[in-house]
Amino acid sequence: SGTSALVLHCTSANKAVVLGASGSAGQLRLSDSEIALLTANGMTIGGAQCGSQVVSGVSEASSDAVSGVLTLLATRDEATVTFSSDDSTLNALSVTADKGIVVNGVNINADTGILHLDGDSDSSTDSADSITFTDGLTMTAATVITLQATTSGIVPAGKLTLSAQTGVYITDDMSGAASSKALVINADSDSTGSSGTLTVATGKTVTSNKSDVTITAWDLDLAGTAALTAGTSSITIHGA
């Protein structure tokens, strides 16, 4: 579509979407090499008709021609988004799912813009309305990282690193599933000293489950009754 936005949606109800990896008959599938053929100023994939989505190994080279934000919408009831198998790099990425986002063993990098993950699009209980991360992962954004999951919260299974240049926003409760697994947040990774705030929304708590927390930020915004807690472990804060 050149300098305009591209929208890919489903006419068949609950059609699965696969990006980056090989898929099966009956799916809406874009391999990494097919994504490389797309040029657009922003792209939206999914919507109320599509089902769950899987993202695996979308490369920087293939995704570069999609400028602006790649938006993944798994908003059909019970739909999920899973990142698995291989790391993915996009210019900027916004993901919204009805029944959770699973980041399984892979890193996600938004190398020119935002990384926005919302695991509970309707803010009502679907039994697993969370964002979950397996152990040892890094989420990176050239601008802002936002994590949102109203009903079931944000759940790192192990060590998690969040690295953004102009801010990290945690809008719902985050609770580590394992002890002795560090939480590392760098909200000002380019160290400009003029932006890069770690924000925890009012009334929300970041709990590391007795794991060390290391924060680097230009500023901290713990609005209202927001809180950070490491239990018997330490919280270390570095000014950017």
Side-chain angles (χ1 to χ4, degrees):
S1 64
T3 58
S4 297
L6 179 63
V7 178
L8 300 176
H9 61 87
C10 303
T11 56
S12 300
N14 207 33
K15 192 180 192 72
V17 177
V18 178
L19 302 178
S22 59
S24 303
Q27 296 176 332
L28 173 58
R29 182 180 73 88
L30 285 173
S31 68
D32 190 54
S33 59
E34 289 171 329
I35 292 171
L37 302 175
L38 303 176
T39 300
N41 183 14
M43 181 163 67
T44 299
I45 301 176
Q49 280 288 92
C50 293
S52 294
Q53 302 193 23
V54 175
V55 183
S56 177
V58 177
S59 67
E60 177 181 358
S62 293
S63 63
D64 262 351
V66 179
S67 61
V69 180
L70 171 62
T71 300
L72 305 181
L73 296 177
T75 52
R76 185 180 177 84
D77 191 41
E78 305 289 294
T80 64
V81 177
T82 301
F83 293 83
S84 62
S85 298
D86 292 296
D87 297 347
S88 289
T89 298
L90 299 308
N91 285 327
L93 179 64
S94 177
V95 182
T96 303
D98 178 67
K99 194 181 177 181
I101 297 170
V102 176
V103 186
N104 184 14
V106 298
N107 302 312
I108 304 172
N109 179 26
D111 63 357
T112 67
I114 66 167
L115 175 59
H116 181 106
L117 304 179
D118 179 358
D120 185 13
S121 63
D122 60 0
S123 299
S124 64
T125 303
D126 291 297
S127 77
D129 295 328
S130 58
I131 305 171
T132 60
F133 301 94
T134 55
D135 187 20
L137 303 185
T138 299
M139 305 295 112
T140 308
T143 56
V144 174
I145 292 176
T146 302
L147 302 180
Q148 178 177 348
T150 303
T151 304
S152 299
I154 303 143
V155 185
K159 181 180 179 180
L160 176 64
T161 299
L162 304 175
S163 179
Q165 292 184 20
T166 60
V168 173
Y169 293 83
I170 299 173
T171 66
D172 291 295
D173 292 325
M174 173 186 283
S175 182
S179 60
S180 302
K181 294 289 186 177
L183 175 61
V184 179
I185 302 175
N186 189 342
D188 189 11
S189 61
D190 62 350
S191 299
T192 62
S194 60
S195 63
T197 298
L198 169 60
T199 301
V200 180
T202 185
K204 307 303 178 182
T205 300
V206 175
T207 304
S208 69
N209 191 9
K210 301 179 182 179
S211 301
D212 291 338
V213 178
T214 302
I215 297 168
T216 303
W218 179 66
D219 194 9
L220 295 179
D221 183 1
L222 304 180
T225 56
L228 292 167
T229 176
T232 55
S233 293
S234 64
I235 297 177
T236 303
I237 299 174
H238 301 284

